[in-house]
Amino acid sequence: MVTPAEFLLSATRADQFPSPGLPEIAFLGRSNVGKSTLLNTLTGQRHLAYSSSTPGRTQSVNFFRVDERFVFVDLPGYGYAKAPKPLVDSWKPVIDAYLRERTVLALSVLLVDARRAWMESDLQLKEWLEHHGRPYLVVATKVDKLNQKEKSASQKAFREYYPEGDLIWFSGPKGQGVKEIWQAIWKTQNR
Ligand SMILES: Nc1nc2c(ncn2[C@@H]2O[C@H](COP(=O)(O)OP(=O)(O)O)[C@@H](O)[C@H]2O)c(=O)[nH]1
Ligand SMILES: [Mg+2]
């Protein structure tokens, strides 16, 4: 299914964010976790968000208007150790500013690689979202790379720090999880 979506703008600082309008869905996660792939899969548009095998490329906040109903926000990937340190540090304020100040933020989607489950930087972000009372759900990505046994180990690891919130298993190649993620996004509008 293809959902009409268009790129709006790219911001490296908070003063470049578009003026608040439609409800926003933010996508967060470590570099290379599969954010662009998820955005492309949700909209059915292969090239909407740039996806590459070179991690750490997306350094700006990218806004997309989706279906005239939502704005999807692709936040810079964090925790990519190989990026030059000053660059890594320069991403933090823009993520922080977005999550702290954005009045139209309806839901944050926290992507975590199912093969590793929580890393320190993911847990920090999760705590930050909870501390600021921001609703979020967790998407475990690349689940197609796990066998059944690895998947149950992964599930256990996720639940250790996230006992009961929404946890959706996603696979880009298999299209798994797309329906559930859309349902969670639509649900934000009936609160
Ligand atoms: N097998 C598999 N590969 C994936 C999946 N999602 C992303 N990838 C691959 O992981 C790499 C990074 O994905 P990308 O979407 O660019 O990650 P981003 O840096 O978070 O935007 C790319 O090579 C993708 O093809 C998935 O669900 N399954
Ligand atoms: Mg990306």
Side-chain angles (χ1 to χ4, degrees):
M1 203 183 80
V2 177
T3 304
E6 57 171 339
F7 173 73
L8 278 178
L9 63 82
S10 193
T12 51
R13 300 188 317 264
D15 62 9
Q16 299 168 336
F17 294 163
S19 45
L22 294 169
E24 293 184 356
I25 312 295
F27 296 86
L28 291 149
R30 295 170 59 81
S31 299
N32 214 35
V33 69
K35 278 199 308 293
S36 299
T37 302
L38 177 60
L39 284 164
N40 293 345
T41 309
L42 284 177
T43 56
Q45 301 201 18
R46 284 176 146 254
H47 305 292
L48 181 67
Y50 177 64
S51 168
S52 89
S53 48
T54 312
R57 290 280 276 276
T58 318
Q59 293 148 28
S60 45
V61 184
N62 296 302
F63 294 81
F64 303 89
R65 183 172 24 229
V66 176
D67 209 13
E68 305 293 333
R69 288 178 69 181
F70 298 103
V71 170
F72 283 7
V73 185
D74 187 6
L75 287 154
Y78 53 82
Y80 181 58
K82 279 187 202 160
K85 183 111 180 20
L87 203 58
V88 175
D89 288 343
S90 75
W91 303 346
K92 277 185 196 154
V94 78
I95 296 178
D96 196 60
Y98 179 84
L99 294 174
R100 190 186 297 275
E101 296 162 16
R102 200 69 177 161
T103 52
V104 285
L105 175 58
L107 180 70
S108 295
V109 179
L110 177 55
L111 284 76
V112 179
D113 192 320
R115 292 170 297 177
R116 297 185 198 91
W118 299 113
M119 307 273 284
E120 189 55 38
S121 49
D122 301 314
L123 288 172
Q124 280 170 7
L125 188 61
K126 181 169 100 47
E127 262 168 42
W128 196 102
L129 291 166
E130 284 165 5
H131 178 78
H132 291 275
R134 290 299 205 179
Y136 71 96
L137 65 85
V138 176
V139 170
T141 65
K142 308 191 186 183
V143 63
D144 55 280
K145 296 197 176 192
L146 303 184
N147 63 33
Q148 203 48 48
K149 198 176 156 197
E150 289 164 336
K151 192 185 160 187
S152 46
S154 172
Q155 180 147 23
K156 216 173 141 192
F158 273 107
R159 287 309 187 190
E160 188 174 346
Y161 297 100
Y162 184 65
E164 46 199 29
D166 282 343
L167 174 62
I168 298 172
W169 299 89
F170 173 74
S171 164
K174 294 190 172 172
Q176 186 185 336
V178 174
K179 211 174 101 192
E180 289 90 339
I181 298 167
W182 264 121
Q183 278 167 353
I185 292 170
W186 286 324
K187 218 168 83 185
T188 62
Q189 296 313 291
N190 313 322
R191 283 204 181 121

